[in-house]
Amino acid sequence: MSVYNVVLQNLEKLRINYGLKPAEVDSRAKLKKGTYQGAIDGSIELTVKDLIAIAKIYMLDPSKVFKQKMRLPAFKDLPEDIRKIASERLGKTDKVIEKKDLIHYCILIFDKHFKLNSDFTNSEIKSYLNDDLKEAFKGKSIEWEKSIIAECVLDTGTTRPSKTKPENIYRLIKEIPTDMVKKALEKVGEDWLQQSENN
């Protein structure tokens, strides 16, 4: 896929995800009426300047739309007018990350990335979180023995060196029940999960 098509695909992903109409893209990017729709239909080719102007509708750093695996901006980082449109038309809101939700994210990480009898450390688990979540859970330790999946995790009693101090090594000794995985998915959604896989 050409860079142009990657950018166009990303811009369309942004437009649909945040509820803008093609004509609104034209007016916000100061393009002639029908330009954006023409680009999507393939009848008009946008210039690099046009592509950047459209990207700036959603984000301060337009270079992100040139990446094949573009991460959607966090809702709180969107310009206020785009947040308003997304909220009114699609019911989107900024997700409030609660401290107690950390275990739900852990459940989904295990389900996606770890096999039975895998060894892991807390920092390994947290490495699958996106930047917003890392910030939200900064300084919060994962207390497996007090969690809802305590019976699935074993403290091996051994440690592994890390940047600051040795880290405890744990083992996944039992598969996470599917109903817990389903509940975790309902609780925290899968947007962040897709993003973590794209990183």
Side-chain angles (χ1 to χ4, degrees), residues 4-16 20-26 31-32 34-47 50-51 54 58:
Y4 178 79
N5 287 331
V6 166
V7 176
L8 207 55
Q9 203 173 64
N10 284 338
L11 291 175
E12 187 62 350
K13 188 176 172 185
L14 286 160
R15 183 187 73 79
I16 293 165
L20 266 71
K21 293 170 184 166
E24 290 172 324
V25 173
D26 288 336
L31 304 174
K32 282 184 185 171
T35 301
Y36 184 78
Q37 188 59 57
I40 296 305
D41 295 342
S43 59
I44 293 173
E45 182 150 328
L46 297 169
T47 65
D50 294 338
L51 295 169
I54 297 166
Y58 312 98

Side-chain angles (χ1 to χ4, degrees), residues 9-191:
Q9 203 173 64
N10 284 338
L11 291 175
E12 187 62 350
K13 188 176 172 185
L14 286 160
R15 183 187 73 79
I16 293 165
N17 196 65
Y18 300 119
L20 266 71
K21 293 170 184 166
E24 290 172 324
V25 173
D26 288 336
S27 63
R28 279 176 162 76
K30 296 182 171 54
L31 304 174
K32 282 184 185 171
K33 197 175 178 182
T35 301
Y36 184 78
Q37 188 59 57
I40 296 305
D41 295 342
S43 59
I44 293 173
E45 182 150 328
L46 297 169
T47 65
V48 172
K49 189 181 171 185
D50 294 338
L51 295 169
I52 289 169
I54 297 166
K56 282 186 173 178
I57 295 170
Y58 312 98
M59 56 184 72
L60 285 171
D61 179 8
S63 68
K64 289 179 180 177
V65 297
F66 289 83
K67 294 178 181 175
Q68 194 141 17
K69 291 185 176 179
M70 178 195 72
R71 276 180 59 182
L72 289 169
F75 190 83
K76 66 180 174 59
D77 295 334
L78 290 167
E80 196 177 334
D81 61 328
I82 303 300
R83 281 206 309 266
K84 194 176 178 194
I85 289 169
S87 183
E88 286 172 1
R89 295 180 188 171
L90 308 174
K92 287 185 182 282
T93 55
D94 194 10
K95 281 185 185 169
V96 178
I97 302 165
E98 296 180 30
K99 299 285 184 190
K100 62 181 170 45
D101 288 342
L102 177 54
I103 199 64
H104 296 295
Y105 292 102
C106 294
I107 287 170
L108 296 177
I109 289 165
F110 281 132
D111 186 59
K112 281 275 178 187
H113 302 286
F114 288 83
K115 291 178 179 170
L116 197 60
N117 295 317
S118 295
D119 287 355
F120 61 90
T121 62
N122 283 357
S123 62
E124 267 181 89
I125 297 296
K126 286 185 176 181
S127 72
Y128 288 97
L129 299 171
N130 65 29
D131 293 342
D132 288 347
L133 292 169
K134 278 178 186 162
E135 190 57 38
F137 298 126
K138 200 175 181 180
K140 182 168 171 63
S141 61
I142 310 168
E143 297 177 315
W144 300 111
E145 69 282 358
K146 294 179 185 175
S147 75
I148 52 174
I149 55 168
E151 61 179 24
C152 302
V153 176
L154 171 78
D155 186 341
T156 65
T158 57
T159 59
R160 187 181 294 167
S162 74
K163 285 178 186 174
T164 49
K165 58 180 181 178
E167 276 197 279
N168 289 349
I169 299 173
Y170 300 94
R171 186 169 296 145
L172 186 65
I173 55 167
K174 188 177 173 185
E175 284 190 13
I176 311 287
T178 49
D179 60 326
M180 276 194 188
V181 175
K182 192 179 171 189
K183 202 173 281 183
L185 204 51
E186 285 169 7
K187 182 83 178 166
V188 302
E190 50 187 329
D191 290 358

